[in-house]
Amino acid sequence: VEVLTMMPSLFISHGAPDRVISQSPAKQFLHRLQESLPTKPKAIIIFSAHWFNETVMLTSTGPVDTIHDMWGFPEKLYKVRYPANTPEWLHESVSHALNDQGVVFQSVNRGLDHGAWSVLALAYPDADIPVIGISIPIYQDFQKYIEFGQVFRRLREEDYLVIGSGSATHNLRELSHNPAPPQWAKEYALWLQKTVLANDYAALSNPYQVHHLT
């Protein structure tokens, strides 16, 4: 596992939530995630693709519930609880970072949905790191997402781990039991990886353009 020298920001494909109670290479990857980080995070800031809103929302201080927002899975999965907690100092720190950049936000009494807790339950099963959940704002201009991400740069330098949980591609109509991903998904994933590594913000702010990979 490659060891990083500073706290990164991560994008993790959370997959199906029953990964928590089954075995897979992805589960083993998350179990070993801590090994690739330079130190134990001071706190975790997590964004789930299942929580988006016009206004930025933060989980309020105190215990954070586990939301089982999925259907048709084994009963065992609905009994899983991830005892996350958002302490006051964490909420204030994130609030100050948002205020400094002029981002309007609200605090809400909301738990972590499966996009968040299914990742944390595997990466940090002891639940001994403070967590705050943040909703994804709805922007028409993708450049605003890049600017929004800059809000959390200072916190990352203070050993806050920023996690985005979702999926680079998502099309349930084309979901099948065939283990081979469709060509369009492979092409987009490769383009995304290449573009992120190149820090090509202009291309990232226009993700719906037609990509021709070589």
Side-chain angles (χ1 to χ4, degrees):
V1 176
E2 182 182 359
V3 178
L4 303 171
T5 57
M6 65 178 294
M7 194 60 70
S9 57
L10 304 177
F11 175 75
I12 296 175
S13 179
H14 65 69
D18 59 351
R19 178 173 58 187
V20 174
I21 59 173
S22 59
Q23 296 300 321
S24 67
K27 181 176 184 177
Q28 295 306 312
F29 167 80
L30 286 174
H31 275 322
R32 299 182 59 199
L33 181 64
Q34 298 182 55
E35 300 175 19
S36 65
L37 301 180
T39 187
K40 183 176 181 178
K42 178 180 179 181
I44 296 174
I45 300 170
I46 191 162
F47 298 84
S48 167
H50 295 279
W51 188 20
F52 49 90
N53 198 72
E54 293 284 352
T55 302
V56 175
M57 300 287 189
L58 312 181
T59 54
S60 56
T61 58
V64 184
D65 291 337
T66 302
I67 303 175
H68 295 88
D69 55 331
M70 64 280 182
W71 298 267
F73 290 94
E75 183 63 28
K76 180 180 179 181
L77 185 61
Y78 298 94
K79 296 179 181 179
V80 173
R81 297 290 184 275
Y82 188 77
N85 183 65
T86 302
E88 185 174 350
W89 62 262
L90 173 56
H91 192 278
E92 289 182 353
S93 183
V94 173
S95 296
H96 288 323
L98 292 168
N99 280 325
D100 288 346
Q101 297 298 319
V103 177
V104 177
F105 66 92
Q106 298 178 14
S107 298
V108 293
N109 183 20
R110 182 190 188 275
L112 298 178
D113 59 56
H114 77 271
W117 64 258
S118 68
V119 169
L120 296 176
L122 296 176
Y124 293 97
D126 294 335
D128 58 346
I129 299 176
V131 175
I132 187 168
I134 305 182
S135 69
I136 299 173
I138 300 174
Y139 296 142
Q140 299 301 315
D141 181 358
F142 274 73
Q143 176 62 31
K144 290 187 177 181
Y145 287 109
I146 295 175
E147 296 171 0
F148 180 62
Q150 299 302 316
V151 172
F152 306 96
R153 174 174 290 183
R154 174 174 57 81
L155 296 176
R156 176 186 166 193
E157 294 173 352
E158 299 174 9
D159 290 337
Y160 288 65
L161 177 62
V162 180
I163 299 177
S165 174
S167 182
T169 62
H170 194 288
N171 190 330
L172 291 178
R173 291 183 179 180
E174 295 196 15
L175 186 65
S176 71
H177 295 290
N178 186 346
Q183 185 63 25
W184 63 266
K186 292 192 293 184
E187 289 184 358
Y188 184 77
L190 287 172
W191 172 86
L192 184 60
Q193 181 183 46
K194 176 182 177 181
T195 308
V196 169
L197 289 174
N199 293 320
D200 188 345
Y201 298 125
L204 289 169
S205 65
N206 187 18
Y208 295 122
Q209 64 183 314
V210 178
H211 309 295
H212 298 285
L213 303 180
T214 57

